[in-house]
Amino acid sequence: MVNLISLCLFLSFISFVLRQWMKPKSSRKLPPGPRKLPLIGNLYRLVGPNVPHVTLRDLSKQFGKDLMHLQLGEVPAVVVSSAEVAKLFLKTHDLDFASRPRVLAGDGVFYDRSDIVFCPYGEYWRQMRKVCMTELLSARTVRSFSYIREDESHRLLDRVRSSSGAGRPINIVDEVTTFMTSIITRAAFGKIPNRTEELVKVVNEIMILASSFRVADAFPSWKILHFLTGQNSRMVKVRKETDEIMGDIIKEHRNNLSSGKTGSGESGSEDIVDVLIKLKDSDSLPMSITDDNIKAVILDLFGGAVDTSTTTTVCAMVEMVKNPRVLAKAQAEVREVFKGKGRLEESDVEKLAYLNLVIKETLRLHPPASLLYRENKEESVVCGYTIPPRTRILINAWAISRDPKYWEDPESFKPERFEDDPVDFTGSSQFKYMPFGSGRRMCPGSSFGLANVYTPLAHLLYHFDWELPHGTTPHTLKLTELHGLAIGIKNDIFFIAAPPPTAA
Ligand code: HEM
């Protein structure tokens, strides 16, 4: 009798295994991809000198031109490298892929993913996204920060003047980073708090920890690995520092509000932290928020704004200095539009049609968010392939915007290519160009980001002539990318700035 039961159990086990084995082969076809090694899958393929978007582009050419499946340790991933397939994920099936991949830093640093960038798709994300669009980054709010941009542009010019007056080359990466950090700090906190330097260091560390190519993120269930790789201790440290610094800032803002002030902004107006505190205290949101949620959103604004806008501005300068024809044309335009005016008004910056093309082309060659991240909750089928639940979707926006299939002479910097091309910054109609992403998770800070890029560029072009220091040529000028949540610039870049021969 016992033997009979054992035989039955054995046979049903075998039939279960066979059914499971047969099922994926017959009805669930994964996208093509390289062969997987046991345990680590294709993780080893990402090790190398290149940044991930370059490695993934090269792998895709070999193993899955439009759509490629990778196994990153425990995590399935799909890489999208064509505009046509990107459209399927970002438009046709946008709702199915509206979530973000779960990475350790989302939970450990971004307050259990209660920010906007890492937040899973759902009610809370919709609420916070709406707050972002209508209260924190609306067109009106972005305009209200124009005095900060103006003021910081003058500080930037003073720093450039004092370096160039002393005959020193300018480190454009440092100067633009200081400019962007000051803009975001003043917009968020109303001033530059004493602990800004500490905060910037913490945010830089967070940007690295949050990139989803950390080994620990490939093995979410291997807790021991999170300790051994140091990911856990680094996260605990930055979380503690963030808590302390942001806690102080929120406390100071709350004191100001309870003493009867409208806000902690420079002329007593509201800054972003004030707006969030008021929303929290008024209980007007359908889902109530905590101080930790406020900290998470502020981290997003820093993380989302500083690196992206700095990289764009620096890359635009680098490309122009490397292409003197473009630099001369952009300068001629700025000097013509502002001729005879004492100062550069932001409203006039909108008239700079050629600078607009320069920025578009910069974002094509150097999209600071080179990969767009998505995740699906349920199993989905795209292009006839099965995408298992919780697959990490990596849309290689960088590869698509350099693909010769969509762009003539794609590696060259040619702003004029956008003259007749209807594609706008949001690229919404054509998925060959997506510097701000696309679909539900598209960047809510594009107007703020662009304003922060146009203004310093217009000022730098108007007030100085630019060239490479002696001994550097366009070919030896190095621009090394640092892969984090967004692409930063790893190396210093020096330029010589000189006042134009005749006062512009
Ligand atoms: C040149 C500047 C910028 C560029 C190129 C840029 C680019 C991007 C991209 C590509 C995404 C992902 C979109 C997607 O997945 O489809 C994104 C998301 C985001 N960006 Fe930006 N960004 C810039 C500036 C800013 C600024 C100034 C802020 C705020 C102060 C900001 C806040 C955010 C936030 C909160 C998200 C997450 C949106 C969500 O998940 O719903 N960005 N950005």
Side-chain angles (χ1 to χ4, degrees):
M1 181 65 178
V2 173
N3 279 349
L4 188 64
I5 293 174
S6 305
L7 181 69
C8 287
L9 281 175
F10 177 72
L11 287 177
S12 37
F13 174 72
I14 292 293
S15 98
F16 171 78
V17 169
L18 280 176
R19 264 185 288 127
Q20 290 300 310
W21 187 68
M22 304 276 289
K23 203 166 128 200
K25 294 212 158 175
S26 55
S27 61
R28 301 168 78 239
K29 191 168 90 171
L30 293 175
R35 242 153 50 105
K36 281 100 186 139
L37 292 181
L39 214 63
I40 58 169
N42 305 114
L43 204 55
Y44 69 100
R45 297 237 178 218
L46 296 181
V47 180
N50 286 331
V51 280
H53 52 257
V54 177
T55 309
L56 293 176
R57 190 263 319 259
D58 296 345
L59 277 176
S60 297
K61 276 186 184 163
Q62 233 182 313
F63 298 106
K65 217 162 49 68
D66 293 348
L67 194 60
M68 172 177 69
H69 180 263
L70 292 178
Q71 187 66 35
L72 304 177
E74 294 182 303
V75 181
V78 156
V79 182
V80 178
S81 310
S82 79
E84 295 76 10
V85 179
K87 183 176 174 186
L88 296 177
F89 282 90
L90 297 171
K91 190 169 179 197
T92 318
H93 302 286
D94 184 23
L95 189 55
D96 298 345
F97 294 97
S99 233
R100 294 275 192 213
R102 186 167 198 162
V103 292
L104 297 175
D107 293 291
V109 182
F110 288 86
Y111 298 87
D112 301 318
R113 309 210 278 165
S114 66
D115 63 327
I116 300 162
V117 175
F118 289 99
C119 189
Y121 180 72
E123 209 48 55
Y124 176 82
W125 170 81
R126 269 197 294 275
Q127 165 176 298
M128 297 315 283
R129 170 112 189 165
K130 194 168 162 207
V131 166
C132 207
M133 303 293 285
T134 56
E135 310 271 348
L136 311 181
L137 300 170
S138 67
R140 190 180 56 84
T141 316
V142 172
R143 266 197 310 278
S144 77
F145 296 143
S146 69
Y147 77 95
I148 303 180
R149 281 188 291 275
E150 186 91 354
D151 195 29
E152 288 302 327
S153 293
H154 288 291
R155 286 170 199 256
L156 169 68
L157 294 176
D158 285 345
R159 291 194 301 271
V160 174
R161 250 180 230 117
S162 75
S163 285
S164 62
R168 285 194 306 269
I170 297 11
N171 183 350
I172 196 77
V173 180
D174 275 359
E175 293 306 344
V176 175
T177 306
T178 306
F179 172 87
M180 291 304 169
T181 309
S182 306
I183 299 265
I184 307 304
T185 313
R186 288 173 69 178
F189 307 140
K191 64 174 182 184
I192 301 187
N194 297 339
R195 302 184 71 182
T196 302
E197 224 172 279
E198 278 172 81
L199 181 63
V200 169
K201 269 197 196 141
V202 171
V203 171
N204 286 344
E205 168 79 343
I206 290 175
M207 294 293 278
I208 302 291
L209 290 174
S211 101
S212 36
F213 291 95
R214 317 274 316 157
V215 172
D217 278 317
F219 297 97
S221 73
W222 293 27
K223 305 276 181 254
I224 184 80
L225 195 69
H226 310 163
F227 284 97
L228 291 177
T229 53
Q231 177 88 0
N232 252 35
S233 53
R234 283 172 76 177
M235 287 194 319
V236 168
K237 187 166 176 275
V238 289
R239 168 74 178 258
K240 189 167 169 277
E241 287 166 354
T242 311
D243 256 343
E244 269 175 35
I245 302 171
M246 298 272 210
D248 282 354
I249 291 171
I250 292 177
K251 200 165 142 200
E252 191 185 335
H253 278 69
R254 206 165 254 130
N255 288 343
N256 284 340
L257 290 174
S258 48
S259 73
K261 286 189 184 165
T262 321
S264 305
E266 282 156 55
S267 46
S269 57
E270 283 179 347
D271 57 37
I272 288 179
V273 173
D274 289 320
V275 174
L276 287 166
I277 292 177
K278 285 183 187 178
L279 277 172
K280 173 186 180 268
D281 293 351
S282 68
D283 277 332
S284 58
L285 293 172
M287 294 174 83
S288 56
I289 58 170
T290 64
D291 279 3
D292 279 356
N293 303 148
I294 295 180
K295 294 175 197 166
V297 171
I298 298 291
L299 274 185
D300 265 5
L301 301 189
F302 258 85
V306 176
D307 274 4
T308 50
S309 315
T310 302
T311 299
T312 308
T313 310
V314 170
C315 288
M317 286 300 288
V318 167
E319 291 294 353
M320 283 192 281
V321 173
K322 277 168 74 174
N323 293 277
R325 179 195 66 82
V326 175
L327 177 64
K329 198 165 163 185
Q331 267 176 327
E333 177 189 68
V334 174
R335 289 173 186 171
E336 181 57 33
V337 168
F338 294 109
K339 200 153 119 193
K341 297 195 175 183
R343 53 204 285 267
L344 308 190
E345 298 284 346
E346 258 198 18
S347 50
D348 286 330
V349 171
E350 285 156 25
K351 295 181 192 147
L352 300 170
Y354 190 68
L355 185 60
N356 179 288
L357 303 183
V358 168
I359 295 172
K360 267 190 182 170
E361 179 69 339
T362 304
L363 284 166
R364 181 188 71 79
L365 268 181
H366 308 280
S370 52
L371 297 168
L372 307 177
Y373 297 95
R374 294 288 189 281
E375 192 187 86
N376 51 337
K377 278 198 186 117
E378 315 279 340
E379 182 173 290
S380 327
V381 176
V382 177
C383 298
Y385 293 112
T386 299
I387 314 293
R390 285 179 300 284
T391 294
R392 197 171 289 174
I393 313 294
L394 308 166
I395 297 166
N396 198 340
W398 175 86
I400 297 172
S401 65
R402 283 181 181 234
D403 189 334
K405 186 168 146 197
Y406 312 112
W407 306 94
E408 206 187 304
D409 192 10
E411 300 294 325
S412 298
F413 188 77
K414 289 184 184 165
E416 287 77 6
R417 74 171 78 240
F418 284 104
E419 253 164 7
D420 304 318
D421 195 325
V423 72
D424 61 7
F425 279 113
T426 60
S428 38
S429 56
Q430 300 187 32
F431 292 78
K432 65 176 188 179
Y433 182 71
M434 303 174 279
F436 292 99
S438 188
R440 272 158 226 258
R441 303 298 295 234
M442 194 176 162
C443 177
S446 54
S447 327
F448 191 28
L450 285 171
N452 296 342
V453 169
Y454 272 98
T455 309
L457 282 176
H459 278 90
L460 292 172
L461 292 173
Y462 180 81
H463 288 278
F464 299 99
D465 282 344
W466 295 90
E467 52 188 66
L468 291 171
H470 186 66
T472 311
T473 68
H475 297 294
T476 58
L477 180 64
K478 221 174 57 174
L479 199 160
T480 314
E481 294 175 333
L482 176 70
H483 186 88
L485 191 54
I487 302 295
I489 294 172
K490 210 173 176 176
N491 58 307
D492 292 336
I493 296 175
F494 291 98
F495 289 147
I496 302 285
T502 50

